[in-house]
Amino acid sequence: MRKLILIFVLVVLSFTKTKAQNLVYDGSFEDTLHCPWSLNGYISYSLNYWQYSGNISGVALNSCNTDNWGIPQNNSGFEYSHSGNGYIGLICFGGVSQTPDLRKFAVGQLMQTLVAGKKYKVTMHVSLVDSFIYACNNISIYFSDTLPTYNFYDLYKVNFNMTHPIDVNFHQDLSSKVGWTKLDTTFIASGNERWLTIGNFLPDSLSDTTYVGGNVPQTQHAWDYSNYYIDDVSVELYDETGSPTNLPQREAFRLFPNPATSVVYIDGKQSFTGIIIFNAQGSLVEKISTKPTVNYQLSIANYKKGIYFIKVTTEFGMQCLKLVVQ
């Protein structure tokens, strides 16, 4: 009898998949600074771990909003979240009659830098927004060593600056407005990638688009371009056999108060080895050369109002914190 029980347990374990660690901070777009609403619903103003890059921000949507920026109903369509309470919206094609290159890009952070030669699996879920009449099959993700920046002086020119970028394409049909389409693929890292940027990196003239029409009520406007809800973005390390591999877990750091005006504290349950602060444009603001303590006081009295990203390094890797200076 014991032998039969042991065989049964081994069979069950052989079919049990280990859940790999998602290296993307807040891949489901739920860690908010406030409930997204109106102009404050833009990605960089609403989400702790995400920012935008493009002429105008994409939007964060959350079920906490009962008006135009909510879930499942919002001013552009209707869609339940794939999981949790939030997702984002990104324009991927400027349309026929619209101003060209209205594309939006969401920039996220990885918990650890990627290892050269290792295979990683990338997954996310997309849904074409109801009131937009074009599908665009070119959504992809760029991984880069540095925080990507773009040309702020030419609002309709996407001109990314990235260090050693890797372009990960999904090559799938993205015309469905019903439910979520799962995108997944794998790639080999070059090493040191720590940022990911989601969007369509081809100009309108080269984008693979399809007219799908607008399944919206007569009282609602149909938009002459392409917009997608995006949810549940993940990047996982895979071993040589293609099986998910768990990476070392570590305690997350916290930043408080946030927003702040003069002083913030970086607190964690382990020592860290360095602090580097970037502004929203990716420019270096400050580098702490002395070895910080577990609870570190950072003076921001001379910082201008805006959004900053604080990179904290430890023996286990890197964590990036978002700070709003008021």
Side-chain angles (χ1 to χ4, degrees), residues 267-326:
D267 188 27
K269 294 184 179 180
Q270 63 189 32
S271 297
F272 43 95
T273 57
I275 298 175
I276 303 177
I277 299 95
F278 298 91
N279 60 22
Q281 291 75 47
S283 300
L284 177 65
V285 174
E286 185 176 0
K287 183 176 182 180
I288 311 299
S289 56
T290 58
K291 187 174 182 179
T293 58
V294 172
N295 190 316
Y296 185 74
Q297 177 179 315
L298 175 66
S299 174
I300 58 171
N302 296 325
Y303 287 21
K304 296 179 180 180
K305 294 181 180 180
I307 296 173
Y308 295 82
F309 293 89
I310 300 177
K311 172 187 169 184
V312 180
T313 56
T314 74
E315 60 178 318
F316 296 104
M318 179 274 295
Q319 180 175 349
C320 198
L321 307 171
K322 182 177 180 179
L323 168 66
V324 177
V325 176
Q326 293 183 332

Coordinates of all heavy atoms in Angstrom, one line a residue, residues 267-326:
D267 N 14.2 51.9 2.8 CA 14.2 50.9 3.8 C 14.1 49.5 3.3 O 13.3 49.3 2.4 CB 13.1 51.2 4.8 CG 13.2 50.3 6.1 OD1 14.3 49.9 6.4 OD2 12.2 50.1 6.7
G268 N 14.8 48.6 3.8 CA 14.7 47.2 3.4 C 15.3 46.3 4.5 O 15.9 46.8 5.5
K269 N 15.1 45.0 4.4 CA 15.5 44.1 5.4 C 16.9 43.5 5.1 O 17.4 42.5 5.7 CB 14.5 42.9 5.5 CG 13.2 43.4 6.1 CD 12.2 42.2 6.2 CE 10.9 42.6 6.8 NZ 10.0 41.5 7.0
Q270 N 17.6 44.1 4.1 CA 19.0 43.7 3.8 C 19.8 44.9 3.4 O 19.3 45.9 3.0 CB 19.0 42.7 2.6 CG 18.4 43.2 1.4 CD 18.2 42.2 0.3 OE1 17.9 41.0 0.6 NE2 18.4 42.6 -1.0
S271 N 21.1 44.8 3.5 CA 22.0 45.9 3.1 C 22.0 46.0 1.6 O 21.9 45.0 0.9 CB 23.4 45.7 3.7 OG 23.4 45.6 5.1
F272 N 22.2 47.2 1.1 CA 22.4 47.4 -0.3 C 23.7 48.1 -0.5 O 24.3 48.7 0.4 CB 21.2 48.2 -0.9 CG 20.7 49.4 -0.1 CD1 21.2 50.6 -0.4 CD2 19.8 49.2 0.9 CE1 20.7 51.7 0.3 CE2 19.3 50.3 1.6 CZ 19.8 51.6 1.3
T273 N 24.2 48.0 -1.8 CA 25.6 48.4 -2.1 C 25.7 49.7 -2.8 O 26.8 50.2 -3.1 CB 26.2 47.3 -2.9 OG1 25.5 47.0 -4.1 CG2 26.3 46.0 -2.1
G274 N 24.6 50.3 -3.3 CA 24.7 51.5 -4.0 C 23.3 52.1 -4.3 O 22.3 51.4 -4.4
I275 N 23.3 53.4 -4.6 CA 22.0 54.1 -5.0 C 22.4 55.0 -6.2 O 23.3 55.8 -6.1 CB 21.5 55.0 -3.9 CG1 21.1 54.1 -2.7 CG2 20.2 55.7 -4.3 CD1 20.6 54.8 -1.5
I276 N 21.6 55.0 -7.2 CA 21.7 55.9 -8.4 C 20.3 56.4 -8.7 O 19.3 55.7 -8.7 CB 22.3 55.1 -9.6 CG1 23.6 54.5 -9.3 CG2 22.4 56.1 -10.8 CD1 24.2 53.7 -10.5
I277 N 20.2 57.7 -8.9 CA 18.9 58.4 -9.1 C 18.9 59.0 -10.6 O 19.9 59.7 -11.0 CB 18.7 59.5 -8.1 CG1 18.6 59.0 -6.7 CG2 17.4 60.2 -8.4 CD1 19.9 59.0 -5.9
F278 N 17.9 58.6 -11.3 CA 17.6 59.2 -12.6 C 16.4 60.0 -12.7 O 15.5 59.7 -11.9 CB 17.5 58.0 -13.7 CG 18.7 57.1 -13.8 CD1 18.8 56.0 -13.0 CD2 19.7 57.4 -14.7 CE1 19.9 55.1 -13.1 CE2 20.8 56.6 -14.8 CZ 20.9 55.4 -14.1
N279 N 16.3 61.0 -13.5 CA 15.1 61.7 -13.7 C 14.2 61.0 -14.8 O 14.6 59.9 -15.3 CB 15.3 63.2 -14.1 CG 16.1 63.3 -15.5 OD1 16.1 62.4 -16.3 ND2 16.7 64.4 -15.6
A280 N 13.0 61.5 -15.1 CA 12.1 60.8 -16.0 C 12.6 60.7 -17.4 O 12.1 59.9 -18.2 CB 10.7 61.5 -16.0
Q281 N 13.6 61.5 -17.7 CA 14.2 61.5 -19.1 C 15.4 60.5 -19.2 O 16.0 60.4 -20.2 CB 14.7 62.9 -19.5 CG 13.5 63.9 -19.8 CD 12.9 64.4 -18.5 OE1 13.6 64.8 -17.5 NE2 11.6 64.3 -18.4
G282 N 15.7 59.9 -18.0 CA 16.8 58.9 -18.0 C 18.2 59.5 -17.7 O 19.2 58.8 -17.8
S283 N 18.2 60.8 -17.4 CA 19.5 61.4 -17.1 C 19.9 61.2 -15.7 O 19.1 61.2 -14.8 CB 19.4 63.0 -17.4 OG 19.1 63.2 -18.7
L284 N 21.2 61.0 -15.4 CA 21.7 60.8 -14.1 C 21.6 62.0 -13.2 O 22.0 63.1 -13.6 CB 23.2 60.3 -14.1 CG 23.9 60.1 -12.8 CD1 23.2 58.9 -12.1 CD2 25.4 59.9 -13.0
V285 N 20.9 61.9 -12.1 CA 20.8 63.1 -11.2 C 21.8 63.0 -10.0 O 22.4 64.0 -9.7 CB 19.3 63.1 -10.6 CG1 19.2 64.2 -9.6 CG2 18.3 63.3 -11.7
E286 N 21.9 61.8 -9.5 CA 22.8 61.7 -8.3 C 23.3 60.2 -8.2 O 22.5 59.3 -8.5 CB 22.1 62.1 -7.0 CG 23.0 62.1 -5.8 CD 22.3 62.7 -4.6 OE1 21.1 63.1 -4.7 OE2 22.9 62.8 -3.5
K287 N 24.5 60.0 -7.7 CA 25.0 58.7 -7.4 C 25.6 58.7 -6.1 O 26.5 59.5 -5.8 CB 26.1 58.3 -8.5 CG 26.6 56.9 -8.3 CD 27.6 56.5 -9.5 CE 28.1 55.1 -9.3 NZ 29.0 54.8 -10.4
I288 N 25.2 57.8 -5.2 CA 25.6 57.7 -3.8 C 26.8 56.7 -3.8 O 26.7 55.5 -4.1 CB 24.6 57.2 -2.9 CG1 23.3 58.0 -3.1 CG2 25.0 57.2 -1.4 CD1 23.4 59.4 -2.8
S289 N 28.0 57.3 -3.6 CA 29.2 56.4 -3.7 C 29.6 55.7 -2.4 O 30.2 54.7 -2.4 CB 30.4 57.3 -4.1 OG 30.6 58.4 -3.2
T290 N 29.1 56.3 -1.3 CA 29.4 55.6 0.0 C 28.4 54.5 0.2 O 27.3 54.5 -0.3 CB 29.2 56.6 1.2 OG1 27.9 57.2 1.1 CG2 30.2 57.7 1.1
K291 N 28.8 53.5 0.9 CA 28.0 52.3 1.1 C 26.8 52.6 2.0 O 27.0 53.0 3.2 CB 28.8 51.1 1.7 CG 28.0 49.8 1.8 CD 28.9 48.7 2.2 CE 28.1 47.4 2.2 NZ 28.9 46.2 2.6
P292 N 25.6 52.6 1.5 CA 24.4 53.0 2.4 C 24.1 51.9 3.4 O 24.5 50.8 3.4 CB 23.3 53.0 1.3 CG 23.9 53.1 0.0 CD 25.2 52.3 0.2
T293 N 23.4 52.4 4.4 CA 22.9 51.5 5.5 C 21.6 50.8 5.0 O 21.0 51.1 4.0 CB 22.7 52.2 6.8 OG1 21.8 53.3 6.6 CG2 24.1 52.8 7.2
V294 N 21.0 50.0 5.9 CA 19.7 49.3 5.6 C 18.6 50.4 5.5 O 17.8 50.3 4.6 CB 19.4 48.3 6.7 CG1 18.0 47.7 6.4 CG2 20.4 47.2 6.6
N295 N 18.6 51.3 6.4 CA 17.6 52.4 6.3 C 18.4 53.7 6.0 O 19.1 54.2 6.8 CB 16.9 52.5 7.7 CG 15.7 53.5 7.6 OD1 15.8 54.5 7.0 ND2 14.6 53.1 8.2
Y296 N 18.2 54.2 4.8 CA 19.0 55.3 4.3 C 18.1 56.6 4.1 O 17.0 56.5 3.5 CB 19.7 55.0 2.9 CG 20.6 56.0 2.4 CD1 21.8 56.2 3.0 CD2 20.2 56.8 1.4 CE1 22.7 57.2 2.6 CE2 21.1 57.8 0.9 CZ 22.3 58.0 1.5 OH 23.2 59.0 1.1
Q297 N 18.6 57.7 4.6 CA 17.9 59.0 4.4 C 18.5 59.7 3.2 O 19.7 60.0 3.2 CB 18.1 59.8 5.7 CG 17.5 61.2 5.6 CD 17.6 62.0 6.8 OE1 17.4 61.5 7.9 NE2 17.9 63.3 6.7
L298 N 17.6 60.0 2.2 CA 18.1 60.7 1.0 C 17.5 62.1 1.0 O 16.2 62.3 1.0 CB 17.6 59.9 -0.2 CG 17.9 60.5 -1.6 CD1 19.4 60.6 -1.9 CD2 17.2 59.7 -2.7
S299 N 18.3 63.1 0.9 CA 17.9 64.5 0.8 C 17.5 64.8 -0.7 O 18.3 64.6 -1.6 CB 18.9 65.4 1.2 OG 18.5 66.8 1.0
I300 N 16.3 65.3 -0.9 CA 15.8 65.7 -2.2 C 15.4 67.2 -2.3 O 14.7 67.6 -3.1 CB 14.6 64.8 -2.6 CG1 13.5 65.0 -1.6 CG2 15.0 63.4 -2.8 CD1 12.2 64.3 -2.1
A301 N 16.0 67.9 -1.3 CA 15.6 69.3 -1.2 C 15.9 70.1 -2.5 O 15.2 71.1 -2.8 CB 16.3 70.0 0.0
N302 N 17.0 69.7 -3.2 CA 17.4 70.4 -4.4 C 16.8 69.8 -5.7 O 17.1 70.3 -6.8 CB 18.9 70.5 -4.5 CG 19.5 71.2 -3.3 OD1 19.0 72.2 -2.9 ND2 20.7 70.8 -2.9
Y303 N 16.0 68.8 -5.5 CA 15.4 68.2 -6.7 C 14.2 69.0 -7.2 O 13.4 69.5 -6.4 CB 14.9 66.8 -6.4 CG 15.9 65.7 -6.2 CD1 17.2 66.1 -5.9 CD2 15.6 64.4 -6.3 CE1 18.2 65.1 -5.7 CE2 16.6 63.4 -6.1 CZ 17.9 63.8 -5.8 OH 18.8 62.8 -5.6
K304 N 14.1 69.1 -8.5 CA 13.0 69.8 -9.1 C 11.7 68.9 -9.0 O 11.8 67.7 -8.9 CB 13.2 70.1 -10.6 CG 14.4 71.1 -10.8 CD 14.6 71.4 -12.3 CE 15.7 72.4 -12.5 NZ 15.9 72.7 -14.0
K305 N 10.5 69.5 -9.0 CA 9.3 68.7 -9.0 C 9.2 67.8 -10.2 O 9.6 68.2 -11.3 CB 8.1 69.7 -9.0 CG 8.0 70.5 -7.7 CD 6.7 71.4 -7.8 CE 6.6 72.2 -6.5 NZ 5.3 73.0 -6.5
G306 N 8.8 66.6 -10.0 CA 8.7 65.7 -11.1 C 8.8 64.2 -10.6 O 8.8 63.9 -9.4
I307 N 9.1 63.3 -11.6 CA 9.2 61.9 -11.3 C 10.7 61.5 -11.4 O 11.4 61.9 -12.4 CB 8.3 61.1 -12.3 CG1 6.8 61.5 -12.1 CG2 8.5 59.6 -12.2 CD1 5.9 60.9 -13.1
Y308 N 11.1 60.7 -10.5 CA 12.5 60.2 -10.5 C 12.5 58.7 -10.3 O 11.5 58.1 -9.7 CB 13.3 60.8 -9.3 CG 13.5 62.3 -9.5 CD1 12.5 63.2 -9.2 CD2 14.6 62.8 -10.1 CE1 12.6 64.6 -9.3 CE2 14.8 64.2 -10.3 CZ 13.8 65.1 -9.9 OH 14.0 66.4 -10.1
F309 N 13.5 58.0 -10.7 CA 13.7 56.6 -10.5 C 15.0 56.3 -9.8 O 16.0 56.8 -10.2 CB 13.7 55.8 -11.9 CG 12.4 55.9 -12.6 CD1 12.1 57.0 -13.4 CD2 11.4 55.0 -12.4 CE1 10.9 57.1 -14.1 CE2 10.2 55.1 -13.0 CZ 9.9 56.1 -13.8
I310 N 14.8 55.6 -8.7 CA 16.0 55.3 -7.8 C 16.4 53.9 -7.9 O 15.6 53.0 -7.6 CB 15.6 55.7 -6.3 CG1 15.2 57.1 -6.2 CG2 16.7 55.3 -5.4 CD1 14.7 57.5 -4.8
K311 N 17.5 53.6 -8.4 CA 18.1 52.3 -8.6 C 18.8 51.9 -7.3 O 19.8 52.5 -7.0 CB 19.0 52.2 -9.8 CG 19.7 50.9 -10.0 CD 20.7 51.0 -11.1 CE 21.6 49.8 -11.2 NZ 22.6 49.9 -12.2
V312 N 18.4 50.8 -6.7 CA 19.0 50.3 -5.5 C 19.7 49.0 -5.8 O 19.0 48.1 -6.3 CB 18.0 50.1 -4.3 CG1 18.7 49.6 -3.1 CG2 17.3 51.4 -4.0
T313 N 21.0 48.8 -5.6 CA 21.7 47.6 -5.9 C 22.0 46.8 -4.7 O 22.4 47.4 -3.7 CB 22.9 47.9 -6.8 OG1 23.8 48.7 -6.0 CG2 22.6 48.5 -8.1
T314 N 21.9 45.5 -4.7 CA 22.3 44.6 -3.6 C 23.1 43.5 -4.2 O 23.3 43.4 -5.4 CB 21.0 44.1 -3.0 OG1 20.5 43.0 -3.8 CG2 20.0 45.1 -2.7
E315 N 23.5 42.6 -3.3 CA 24.3 41.4 -3.8 C 23.4 40.5 -4.6 O 23.9 39.7 -5.4 CB 24.9 40.7 -2.6 CG 23.8 40.2 -1.7 CD 24.4 39.4 -0.5 OE1 25.3 38.6 -0.8 OE2 23.9 39.6 0.6
F316 N 22.1 40.7 -4.6 CA 21.2 39.8 -5.3 C 20.8 40.4 -6.7 O 20.2 39.7 -7.5 CB 19.9 39.5 -4.5 CG 20.2 38.8 -3.3 CD1 20.2 39.4 -2.0 CD2 20.5 37.4 -3.3 CE1 20.4 38.7 -0.9 CE2 20.7 36.7 -2.1 CZ 20.7 37.4 -0.9
G317 N 21.1 41.7 -6.9 CA 20.7 42.3 -8.1 C 20.2 43.7 -7.9 O 20.8 44.4 -7.0
M318 N 19.2 44.2 -8.7 CA 18.8 45.6 -8.7 C 17.3 45.7 -8.4 O 16.5 44.8 -8.9 CB 19.2 46.2 -10.0 CG 18.8 47.6 -10.2 SD 17.1 47.9 -10.8 CE 17.2 47.2 -12.4
Q319 N 16.9 46.7 -7.7 CA 15.5 47.1 -7.6 C 15.4 48.6 -7.9 O 16.2 49.4 -7.6 CB 15.0 46.8 -6.2 CG 13.5 47.2 -6.1 CD 12.9 46.8 -4.7 OE1 13.5 46.1 -4.0 NE2 11.7 47.3 -4.5
C320 N 14.3 48.9 -8.7 CA 14.1 50.3 -9.1 C 12.9 50.8 -8.4 O 11.8 50.2 -8.5 CB 14.1 50.4 -10.6 SG 14.4 52.1 -11.2
L321 N 13.0 52.0 -7.8 CA 11.8 52.6 -7.1 C 11.5 53.9 -7.8 O 12.3 54.6 -8.2 CB 12.2 52.9 -5.6 CG 12.8 51.7 -4.8 CD1 13.3 52.1 -3.5 CD2 11.7 50.6 -4.6
K322 N 10.2 54.1 -7.8 CA 9.7 55.4 -8.4 C 9.4 56.4 -7.3 O 8.7 56.1 -6.4 CB 8.4 55.1 -9.2 CG 7.8 56.3 -10.0 CD 6.7 55.8 -10.8 CE 6.0 57.0 -11.6 NZ 4.9 56.5 -12.4
L323 N 9.9 57.6 -7.5 CA 9.7 58.7 -6.5 C 9.0 59.9 -7.2 O 9.4 60.3 -8.3 CB 11.0 59.1 -5.9 CG 11.0 60.4 -5.1 CD1 10.2 60.2 -3.8 CD2 12.4 60.8 -4.8
V324 N 8.0 60.5 -6.5 CA 7.4 61.7 -7.0 C 7.8 62.8 -6.1 O 7.5 62.8 -4.9 CB 5.8 61.5 -7.1 CG1 5.2 62.8 -7.5 CG2 5.4 60.4 -8.0
V325 N 8.4 63.8 -6.6 CA 8.9 65.0 -5.8 C 7.9 66.1 -6.1 O 7.6 66.5 -7.2 CB 10.3 65.4 -6.2 CG1 10.7 66.7 -5.5 CG2 11.3 64.3 -5.9
Q326 N 7.3 66.6 -5.0 CA 6.3 67.7 -5.1 C 6.9 69.0 -4.8 O 7.8 69.1 -4.0 CB 5.1 67.4 -4.2 CG 4.3 66.2 -4.6 CD 3.1 65.9 -3.8 OE1 3.1 66.3 -2.6 NE2 2.1 65.3 -4.3

